[in-house]
Amino acid sequence: MRSKLKKAMYPIFDAAVVVVILLLMGCLYMALYGEAIVRNHPEAIAQASSTVITDSTGAEIVRFRTQSSGFAEYADLEEMPELLIQAFLATEDRRFYQHEGIDYIGISRAIVQDITHMNWSQGGSSITQQLARNLYLSGEKTLVRKVNEMSIAISLEKRFNKDELLEMYLNHIYMGRQQYGVKAAAWRYFGLEDLRQLELWQIATLAAIPKGPSIYNPVDDDERSKHRRSVILTLMYEQGLITQEQMQEARRVDYTPPEAASVSAAADQPMPDHISAVDTVMQEAARLTGKRETDIQSAGWTIHTGLDSQAQLAMEEAFRDPSRFSDDREDEQVQASMVIVDQHNGEVKAMMGGRNPVTGGMNRAITDARQPGSAFKPIIAYGPALESGHFKPESMLPDKHTSYGSYRPSNLGGQYRGSVTMSFALQNSINAPAVWLLNETGLKQAHEFASRLGIELDQEDFNLSIALGGVHKGVSPLKMAQAYSVFANNGRFNTAHLIREIRDTNGRIIYAYRPENKQVITANTANTMTIMLQNVVSQGTGSRAQLSRYKVAGKTGTTQAAVPGIGSKGNRDLWFVGYTSKWTAAVWMGFDHTDAEHYMRSGSGAAADLFASVMNRAGR
């Protein structure tokens, strides 16, 4: 019997050894896995917050997704009302401050409920476990994931105190509608930036969401949200956090979305009419701070701009109107871009980089790619001549078919008047006098003058053809508007910019624009040019740019298509650059690629008309 008993004990012993080894391996895995994950992924606990861009009034234009592809705004525990914290503890983990990362009582209760209902819907996860899952793991319900979750939770409890863990949890918990954390959710669902302003029913609504973010948030299902809110209020009452009267009152409140339309629009997707401007703001912010755009989106900054939403909307509506683009082809649309700048401080008020802008797409408003044609004459020929002091608007200029070495410019239509005043030549955009004037003033002086207006020309542009806008690399509408703004601002230069200031999550100023208002040409030159350009609009080629309430100074520009078989009536680029006493704007129209099938039949009057439409609607 003793021999048989020994033989029977051997398998039991072997099994016990195997069990012990497995337990030891499990304990070792639990001890090492979480430590390795937390140690090797420090970025997971970064305090990511969505950066916000505002317009000139402080209204939100866009709230960026963080690198987790959601919207977030980090809040310290001290910013959160005690009742909000207690509501989440009551709902998610009432023994949070007693256990060490794993709530064995909660797990036991969950197992009993799972066996009773014959499913695995109850997880029994503590707040630390939920944090571990949110930061490092997927949402799939498997035994391995559960073990990994517990291992990471143990590691997190060793590294952080309870308040730190709770703060991280309340900032990383998914709250539906791509919102992460209670502060982002409070803004999205209630339009509140200060968590201390939350009312009891709002607190309970937020605490109700984590159990089912897609079904318990008030936007997607108000009825379910209200029912779940009632459950949370009952829990809070049972745990002595609120009175019965408070519970009943908070149950009765019906949810209404926040009044500010920008909250829902900015929280779910960027406003479409601001895409070009938003892209440029981010590029400018990256250049100013040395940060990557992706890092800026998650930095929690507030980027204040000078953008004017009314002007931006006016531009968007005009660009949507197909009647303004009669040269559209069946296979390709005419493109256009426009920039409005406040000449008094250089702020960009509105921008469109194309008729159908997309995030990250080509922004034609800031790309130096198009020749400006006659719109360049005030910058390179007439401006320098006025600045030299040797010419006035009434000065007589030769209007003859003249050769300058191998270069022989010609007037449109082949008409030559012998001589004309400088003002008349500009008003009617006559080519021969402009080239003669540039030759008389000198290329060196003309280049320097353009540079003072913010346009740097290359060595390839050291020729007389630039008098007619034949710029080697091309120039952008932004630079054209910036240059003309000097004429509009009595000869003072301000760099065209979108950003007023950048503040970090604590409200500290990271960057603030400092106005230049630098006198780069004489006030007399600027004011004389303004009078001449006003004549262009009132009596000359820019007549379609006239506004009902403001006097406009400006200049048209056209470059020929230069495609065989089209002739002189086909154009490549159409421009109008002009200003009122308030704002300066530049418009370009054309095809991205000009060929025998895609060229502009319209003249620069189409660009002047687009200018007038936008500026009238913008109220400037």
Side-chain angles (χ1 to χ4, degrees), residues 388-459:
S388 72
H390 300 309
F391 296 93
K392 298 178 180 180
E394 60 271 18
S395 298
M396 299 301 296
L397 310 179
D399 180 18
K400 301 175 181 178
H401 200 200
T402 306
S403 295
Y404 301 88
S406 60
Y407 180 53
R408 189 175 174 82
S410 60
N411 288 344
L412 188 65
Q415 180 184 3
Y416 299 89
R417 300 166 182 81
S419 63
V420 294
T421 65
M422 186 164 74
S423 181
F424 184 87
L426 178 62
Q427 176 181 312
N428 293 280
S429 200
I430 306 172
N431 289 340
V435 177
W436 181 88
L437 198 57
L438 174 59
N439 188 57
E440 284 293 306
T441 307
L443 284 166
K444 184 175 183 294
Q445 289 84 346
H447 274 238
E448 290 175 352
F449 186 89
S451 177
R452 280 180 266 162
L453 271 57
I455 296 179
E456 299 291 341
L457 297 169
D458 294 334
Q459 190 62 36

Side-chain angles (χ1 to χ4, degrees), residues 74-81 183 193-196 505-506:
Y74 205 92
D76 295 334
L77 208 60
E78 290 76 17
E79 296 179 53
M80 304 179 194
K183 190 168 186 178
E193 292 189 277
D194 186 352
L195 291 174
R196 296 182 184 88
T505 52
N506 297 313

Side-chain angles (χ1 to χ4, degrees), residues 21-22 26 57 89 103 116 144 175 192 202 238 316 368 416 419 430 466 474 556 560 563 584 592 598:
I21 292 173
L22 289 174
T57 67
L89 290 174
D103 184 5
T116 303
V144 172
M175 299 293 285
L192 295 176
Q202 294 170 325
E238 291 174 349
E316 164 74 6
D368 294 332
Y416 299 89
S419 63
I430 306 172
I466 60 171
T556 54
Q560 293 186 331
V563 175
T584 304
D592 284 333
H598 306 92

Side-chain angles (χ1 to χ4, degrees), residues 241-496:
L241 299 174
I242 58 175
T243 66
Q244 186 174 20
E245 183 181 355
Q246 289 175 314
M247 176 184 68
Q248 292 172 346
E249 183 181 348
R251 280 177 172 174
R252 288 192 293 267
V253 180
D254 291 323
Y255 174 74
T256 54
E259 292 182 6
S262 61
V263 171
S264 57
D268 290 330
Q269 59 184 357
M271 298 171 70
D273 51 320
H274 285 78
I275 286 176
S276 298
V278 165
D279 278 356
T280 310
V281 168
M282 292 303 290
Q283 293 167 19
E284 191 173 300
R287 185 176 70 252
L288 293 171
T289 63
K291 301 280 188 179
R292 296 183 305 173
E293 290 183 38
T294 51
D295 293 334
I296 292 173
Q297 291 177 2
S298 302
W301 293 351
T302 300
I303 303 177
H304 297 284
T305 74
L307 290 167
D308 185 288
S309 291
Q310 181 180 342
Q312 190 68 49
L313 180 60
M315 199 178 289
E316 164 74 6
E317 289 175 346
F319 272 54
R320 269 201 305 262
D321 183 356
S323 68
R324 302 193 179 281
F325 303 93
S326 58
D327 290 328
D328 279 348
R329 305 297 198 271
E330 289 186 5
D331 64 330
E332 189 176 345
Q333 282 187 330
V334 171
Q335 276 300 339
S337 59
M338 184 173 182
V339 177
I340 298 176
V341 175
D342 184 336
Q343 59 257 26
H344 304 101
N345 55 24
E347 286 186 348
V348 173
K349 310 310 290 185
M351 173 185 290
M352 289 288 286
R355 286 176 65 186
N356 301 292
V358 295
T359 301
M362 179 189 295
N363 187 343
R364 299 163 185 83
I366 62 172
T367 304
D368 294 332
R370 314 303 298 214
Q371 294 187 349
S374 293
F376 206 56
K377 289 175 180 176
I379 297 169
I380 202 67
Y382 295 101
L386 290 172
E387 186 76 355
S388 72
H390 300 309
F391 296 93
K392 298 178 180 180
E394 60 271 18
S395 298
M396 299 301 296
L397 310 179
D399 180 18
K400 301 175 181 178
H401 200 200
T402 306
S403 295
Y404 301 88
S406 60
Y407 180 53
R408 189 175 174 82
S410 60
N411 288 344
L412 188 65
Q415 180 184 3
Y416 299 89
R417 300 166 182 81
S419 63
V420 294
T421 65
M422 186 164 74
S423 181
F424 184 87
L426 178 62
Q427 176 181 312
N428 293 280
S429 200
I430 306 172
N431 289 340
V435 177
W436 181 88
L437 198 57
L438 174 59
N439 188 57
E440 284 293 306
T441 307
L443 284 166
K444 184 175 183 294
Q445 289 84 346
H447 274 238
E448 290 175 352
F449 186 89
S451 177
R452 280 180 266 162
L453 271 57
I455 296 179
E456 299 291 341
L457 297 169
D458 294 334
Q459 190 62 36
E460 291 89 342
D461 295 313
F462 216 80
N463 57 72
L464 293 177
S465 65
I466 60 171
L468 308 183
V471 179
H472 177 66
K473 286 185 179 179
V475 65
S476 68
L478 180 65
K479 286 186 179 177
M480 289 295 288
Q482 179 180 257
Y484 271 62
S485 71
V486 176
F487 300 138
N489 194 33
N490 297 311
R492 295 188 294 271
F493 176 87
N494 288 296
T495 301

Side-chain angles (χ1 to χ4, degrees), residues 156-203:
L156 288 172
E157 290 273 348
K158 292 178 180 177
R159 288 173 176 260
F160 304 99
N161 63 44
K162 287 291 187 178
D163 285 347
E164 290 171 334
L165 291 170
L166 184 58
E167 180 178 301
M168 284 190 283
Y169 168 78
L170 291 171
N171 279 289
H172 286 92
I173 187 71
Y174 182 56
M175 299 293 285
R177 283 273 159 174
Q178 302 176 39
Q179 310 299 313
Y180 287 83
V182 293
K183 190 168 186 178
W187 168 250
R188 175 62 183 87
Y189 300 129
F190 310 120
L192 295 176
E193 292 189 277
D194 186 352
L195 291 174
R196 296 182 184 88
Q197 294 179 357
L198 286 168
E199 297 178 17
L200 174 58
W201 73 271
Q202 294 170 325
I203 286 173

